């Protein structure tokens, strides 16, 4: 060690302080400020500042990204990196950041239908598992942090980004008549237990006719199947559609076509949504209302239902209660104030599976 230090002193990289009584005993080592770059070169290490500049360079392609939240995130991170801070990126994993950038740039090109993760990974990295092993977690974390969107599950976040683990379909039950591109007519009321429609089928559907008096979207899979036993469904009065939380992209395509038919109808069916009586359920309702059905109304999501099943309701944490308090002050939830106030007052929320009549 001493020999190495003496050599570094000889080339003016360090200054050595010896002990008072022994000139061959080194007490302290001072790195020379003007020799920092030479010290990095000798040690074979890359300076942090250089790593941060590499990260900044890897983020440049996001400057004109079609998703505004990605542009804003890139600018915020670039400003932080310019100040010599890491911006929660790993300076020793420049390649990982480059893979993230590459993924973000490719996602907007996927179109309206979600693409299976492994097919996307193979197309982008020539490796079906690379995305899941290296990039997926930070991609979802970034979307949660920067997009401003609200989603409940990983599958919903994947769909928001244009990805999916499994092929998507639409589950519905009730009367709906439509034509396919070949001109053949189909009537879903012929299937009393409901059916699933693939994305390809949805794309081919034209010339809708809705005999049902009500259209009811249902958030939960169990509640959807329980509701199919209702006499109103059996009688063909209700078209029930399973949303699975936030609708996936195939379902969005179907709802878009459905909303067009409803908006043009002279005597449109009543539009209802049934979901959890909690923040997630309310957000899904508002999302459906904003994107597809402006006249959408809640079904069994009011104060009376919440109090009727209070014994089955789940308690909420202090953090959740603070979110409820914040929601009370948001104008977009003005129609939900009575429900939010009871949820906050009683510190409860109700999942729709509790309503099993």
């Amino acid at each position: 060690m001493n020999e190495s230090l003496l050599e570094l002193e000889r080339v003016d990289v360090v200054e050595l302080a010896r002990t008072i009584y022994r000139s061959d005993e080194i007490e302290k080592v001072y790195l020379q400020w003007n020799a920092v770059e030479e010290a990095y070169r000798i040690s074979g290490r890359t300076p942090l500042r250089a790593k941060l500049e590499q990260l900044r360079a890897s983020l440049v392609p996001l400057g004109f990204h079609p998703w505004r939240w990605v542009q804003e995130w890139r600018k915020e991170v670039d400003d932080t990196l310019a100040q010599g801070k890491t911006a929660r990126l790993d300076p020793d994993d420049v390649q990982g950041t480059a893979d993230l950038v590459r993924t973000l740039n490719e996602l907007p090109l996927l179109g309206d239908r979600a693409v299976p993760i492994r097919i996307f990974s193979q197309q982008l990295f020539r490796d079906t598992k690379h995305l899941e092993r290296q990039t997926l977690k930070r991609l979802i974390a970034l979307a949660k942090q920067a997009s401003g969107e609200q989603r409940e599950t990983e599958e919903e976040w994947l769909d928001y980004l244009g990805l999916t683990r499994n092929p998507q379909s639409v589950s519905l039950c009730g009367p709906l008549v439509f034509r396919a591109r070949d001109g053949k007519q189909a009537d879903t009321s012929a299937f009393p237990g409901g059916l699933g429609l693939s994305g390809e089928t949805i794309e081919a559907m034209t010339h809708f006719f809705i005999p049902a008096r009500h259209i009811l979207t249902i958030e939960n899979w169990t509640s959807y199947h329980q509701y199919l036993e209702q006499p109103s469904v059996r009688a063909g009065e209700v078209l029930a559609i399973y949303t699975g939380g936030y609708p996936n992209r195939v379902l969005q395509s179907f709802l878009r076509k459905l909303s067009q038919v409803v908006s043009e109808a002279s005597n449109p069916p009543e539009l209802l949504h049934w979901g959890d009586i909690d923040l997630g359920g309310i957000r899904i309702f508002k999302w459906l209302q904003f994107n597809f059905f402006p006249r959408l109304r809640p079904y069994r999501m009011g104060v009376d239902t919440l109090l009727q099943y209070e014994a089955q309701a789940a308690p909420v944490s202090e953090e959740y209660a603070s979110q409820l308090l914040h929601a009370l002050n948001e104008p977009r939830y003005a129609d939900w104030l009575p429900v939010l106030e009871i949820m906050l007052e009683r510190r409860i929320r109700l999942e729709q599976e509790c309503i099993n009549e």
Side-chain angles (χ1 to χ4, degrees):
M1 183 185 292
N2 281 8
E3 288 177 356
S4 298
L5 289 173
L6 290 171
E7 177 59 25
L8 291 173
E9 183 183 44
R10 188 184 67 79
V11 295
D12 295 325
V13 172
V14 300
E15 179 183 342
L16 305 178
R18 274 81 171 176
T19 59
I20 297 175
Y21 302 107
R22 291 191 57 180
S23 60
D24 61 341
E25 185 175 312
I26 300 171
E27 185 177 42
K28 293 182 180 179
V29 180
Y30 298 95
L31 178 63
Q32 299 298 87
W33 181 248
N34 58 1
V36 169
E37 291 187 10
E38 178 65 9
Y40 271 111
R41 187 194 67 77
I42 294 172
S43 66
R45 299 176 61 185
T46 303
L48 176 61
R49 176 67 69 175
K51 293 178 182 178
L52 298 183
E53 289 302 317
Q54 288 176 350
L55 286 174
R56 292 185 70 190
S58 69
L59 294 172
V60 167
L62 299 181
F64 300 97
H65 197 279
W67 295 349
R68 186 171 181 82
W69 65 267
V70 174
Q71 287 188 40
E72 292 175 349
W73 173 77
R74 179 257 171 189
K75 184 178 185 308
E76 178 184 341
V77 170
D78 185 71
D79 290 344
T80 304
L81 292 171
Q83 297 171 22
K85 302 175 183 177
T86 61
R88 289 186 286 186
L89 296 177
D90 185 355
D92 293 318
D93 187 19
V94 176
Q95 184 57 50
T97 300
D99 287 348
L100 177 63
V101 170
R102 188 177 177 186
T103 303
L104 285 169
N105 272 330
E106 195 70 20
L107 287 175
L109 305 178
L110 295 180
D112 293 333
R113 197 188 300 185
V115 175
I117 290 173
R118 295 200 172 184
I119 291 178
F120 179 70
S121 182
Q122 174 64 27
Q123 293 172 346
L124 195 58
F125 299 109
R126 300 294 182 264
D127 181 345
T128 60
K129 298 180 181 179
H130 182 89
L131 187 68
E132 290 176 279
R133 284 197 303 251
Q134 305 294 335
T135 311
L136 196 59
K137 285 186 178 180
R138 68 179 73 185
L139 177 65
I140 293 175
L142 173 59
K144 290 179 179 179
Q145 167 203 335
S147 69
E149 291 288 323
Q150 298 286 345
R151 295 294 185 272
E152 299 293 319
T153 65
E154 181 186 89
E155 190 63 32
E156 290 174 352
W157 279 111
L158 287 174
D159 183 79
Y160 169 72
L161 293 164
L163 300 171
T164 182
R165 292 192 182 277
N166 303 297
Q168 298 176 339
S169 62
V170 174
S171 295
L172 57 83
C173 184
L176 176 67
V177 181
F178 63 90
R179 292 185 184 276
R181 289 199 183 113
D182 59 6
K184 293 180 180 179
Q185 183 170 293
D187 185 351
T188 59
S189 62
F191 302 89
L195 72 164
L197 304 176
S198 69
E200 186 176 356
T201 299
I202 299 300
E203 286 184 4
M205 294 171 71
T206 60
H207 300 88
F208 282 68
F209 173 63
I210 309 171
R213 294 172 54 196
H214 314 278
I215 295 177
L216 174 65
T217 53
I218 303 176
E219 178 182 340
N220 182 273
W221 184 242
T222 299
S223 299
Y224 166 75
H225 280 282
Q226 289 178 339
Y227 188 81
L228 298 190
E229 302 297 323
Q230 294 295 317
S232 57
V233 179
R234 298 293 186 181
E237 296 179 2
V238 179
L239 174 62
I241 304 169
Y242 169 63
T243 69
Y246 285 90
N248 62 46
R249 293 198 175 198
V250 170
L251 178 53
Q252 289 177 41
S253 178
F254 173 71
L255 294 178
R256 200 171 293 116
K257 292 186 175 185
L258 204 62
S259 66
Q260 181 67 27
V261 174
V262 170
S263 66
E264 296 173 353
S266 57
N267 186 25
E270 182 183 28
L271 300 165
L272 301 166
H273 175 71
W274 182 23
D276 296 334
I277 307 179
D278 62 10
L279 285 174
I282 294 172
R283 286 166 179 157
I284 291 169
F285 173 89
K286 297 296 292 184
W287 192 88
L288 287 167
Q289 188 181 53
F290 178 80
N291 288 283
F292 302 107
F293 305 116
R295 295 187 296 109
L296 188 67
R297 294 171 50 227
Y299 172 78
R300 305 203 79 174
M301 296 180 69
V303 172
D304 53 346
T305 303
L306 180 59
L307 294 178
Q308 180 183 351
Y309 292 92
E310 183 175 2
Q312 286 79 42
V316 302
S317 64
E318 287 299 323
E319 180 183 356
Y320 196 94
S322 67
Q323 293 179 37
L324 289 171
L325 186 60
H326 180 74
L328 282 169
N329 298 315
E330 291 193 47
R332 60 177 174 155
Y333 296 130
D335 295 340
W336 290 88
L337 287 183
V339 175
L340 291 169
E341 287 171 350
I342 292 295
M343 289 173 63
L344 184 60
E345 176 187 330
R346 306 292 181 94
R347 299 298 177 95
I348 57 173
R349 62 183 183 86
L350 184 70
E351 295 180 347
Q352 63 180 139
E353 296 99 318
C354 299
I355 306 172
N356 54 17
E357 298 175 2

